[in-house]
Amino acid sequence: MRKEYTLGLYEKSMPSWLGWREKLEEAKKAGYDFVEMSIDESEEKLSRLRMSAKDRGELVRLMAETGMPIRTMCLSGHRKYPIGSEDAAVRARGMEIMEQAICLAEDLGIRIIQLAGYDVYYEKSTRQTAAWFEANLRRAAELASEAGVMLGFETMETEFMNTVEKAMHYVRKVQSPYLNIYPDMGNITNSAVLYGKNVLDDLRTGQGHLASVHLKETLPGKFREIPFGSGHVDFPSVIHEAWQMGVRRYVTEFWYTGSRSWQADLQAAHELMSGYLDRECGGGDTGEEEACMVGEGERRAANG
């Protein structure tokens, strides 16, 4: 029997001093189905892209031993090396990061790379940076297609791509089955408040192109380290809408900030979000966990 959805855990929700074995084991203990790897702009994380074949094989073995796979990647390293930069050397480094990330994902069995929706971050966004972004994005989609790895835009906190509707502009331009959207529910909630719009209407503009969803809490103008339940994201509503649109892969995104009860925090986040997801499986009823389970025969029949 397997669930009708998978719920992942963002790597940075755990202490950075844990090794991969410990991170995978803690995620499993807390009830998650997979871990999302972080490749941020730090040299420590970017060095993972140069992981040796031996180390890649060892990590795959750890996934098998612990029963906890790494199935998505949050690639935010493009903040420092954006593919739309005015600086040709920075753009080249950004594309090198892109190609290395796709190769790493292919080797580790990662299905989706969450791609930061920035043309530039530390520079001023212009028509030229947007043009460079689009040109390099087309090449990135080709590389992803060759490897069979999905790219999904993260909706960000900056004007360039802070809504699903804006992300869809580039999805339509590139027209690749390997470029879709991996929206951040907290970020698009903030944007809906900023623009005086409905977050669910924005989510619907991505119909047929949502690869996965980040479940993150935010407050107006604040995008990080907001504990679940202390922000303004209407998780039951956004999860229900995403579910109706066919999304079955979700990730809880939150950060370890030094709490001694971080293991309990992992479990609490899992219980909260799996509770909402279980209600979707049960057709809106509570206490219907069995309704979220599907046998192999039923799954094959449903999939044709």
Side-chain angles (χ1 to χ4, degrees):
M1 302 290 284
R2 57 180 292 170
K3 289 189 300 183
E4 290 184 8
Y5 66 87
T6 55
L7 180 60
L9 178 66
Y10 183 49
E11 180 191 348
K12 287 187 177 181
S13 64
M14 296 175 279
S16 60
W17 42 261
L18 293 178
W20 270 120
R21 178 179 290 277
E22 291 78 17
K23 287 177 180 177
L24 297 177
E25 289 175 344
E26 292 296 340
K28 187 172 184 177
K29 287 178 188 176
Y32 290 92
D33 302 303
F34 66 95
V35 169
E36 179 164 276
M37 174 185 280
S38 168
I39 304 290
D40 62 25
E41 62 188 292
S42 70
E43 288 307 313
E44 183 268 325
K45 292 292 199 301
L46 288 173
S47 69
R48 290 175 169 177
L49 300 177
R50 301 186 296 275
M51 192 183 300
S52 69
K54 179 181 178 181
D55 288 341
R56 293 176 192 220
E58 173 65 14
L59 186 48
V60 171
R61 185 180 65 79
L62 278 177
M63 289 187 239
E65 285 186 5
T66 59
M68 178 55 54
I70 300 169
R71 285 294 176 258
T72 57
M73 176 194 296
C74 180
L75 180 62
S76 55
H78 283 134
R79 279 169 57 120
K80 187 175 181 179
Y81 301 103
I83 62 175
S85 175
E86 293 277 7
D87 187 325
V90 173
R91 290 198 307 274
R93 176 66 176 125
M95 289 305 295
E96 180 183 44
I97 287 170
M98 188 76 263
E99 186 167 4
Q100 289 174 333
I102 291 170
C103 289
L104 180 62
E106 184 179 18
D107 289 348
L108 297 183
I110 289 173
R111 309 294 198 257
I112 304 170
I113 296 175
Q114 188 182 50
L115 189 63
Y118 301 124
D119 57 340
V120 290
Y121 186 77
Y122 298 111
E123 305 172 39
K124 182 181 179 181
S125 181
T126 66
R127 288 186 178 180
Q128 183 59 66
T129 61
W132 280 119
F133 175 78
E134 181 182 337
N136 282 323
L137 184 63
R138 291 181 186 278
R139 176 56 183 154
E142 290 173 359
L143 293 169
S145 178
E146 291 168 15
V149 174
M150 180 74 69
L151 303 180
F153 278 130
E154 180 179 10
T155 46
M156 311 308 296
E157 73 279 16
T158 60
E159 282 285 330
F160 185 76
M161 196 180 290
N162 57 353
T163 67
V164 173
E165 184 176 14
K166 290 179 181 180
M168 279 299 298
H169 171 74
Y170 285 95
V171 169
R172 292 191 182 100
K173 276 195 165 189
V174 175
Q175 289 287 308
S176 168
Y178 287 90
L179 178 66
N180 286 290
I181 306 174
Y182 185 164
D184 183 308
M185 295 295 104
N187 291 354
I188 65 171
T189 296
N190 276 4
S191 294
V193 171
L194 178 66
Y195 298 137
K197 295 186 177 182
N198 185 298
V199 67
L200 301 184
D201 288 342
D202 181 48
L203 197 58
R204 292 182 193 111
T205 65
Q207 180 67 54
H209 292 281
L210 302 187
S212 185
V213 159
H214 254 185
L215 301 172
K216 187 185 78 178
E217 186 69 278
T218 55
L219 285 167
K222 297 182 179 180
F223 297 86
R224 293 170 59 94
E225 299 178 3
I226 307 298
F228 287 125
S230 64
H232 68 148
V233 179
D234 184 351
F235 288 108
S237 293
V238 294
I239 287 174
H240 176 73
E241 192 63 38
W243 187 275
Q244 293 300 308
M245 294 171 68
V247 179
R248 296 296 183 268
R249 177 157 291 197
Y250 300 81
V251 172
T252 57
E253 185 185 21
F254 57 106
W255 287 262
Y256 168 73
T257 57
S259 171
R260 294 183 179 180
S261 61
W262 63 268
Q263 290 165 305
D265 294 340
L266 303 185
Q267 295 176 351
H270 177 271
E271 290 175 8
L272 178 66
M273 296 306 172
S274 64
Y276 295 142
L277 289 163
D278 287 346
R279 285 202 287 272
E280 294 303 321
C281 295
D285 297 326
T286 58
E288 295 291 339
E289 185 174 351
E290 287 187 4
C292 282
M293 305 300 290
V294 58
E296 184 65 16
E298 294 172 278
R299 184 176 67 84
R300 288 179 178 174
N303 292 337

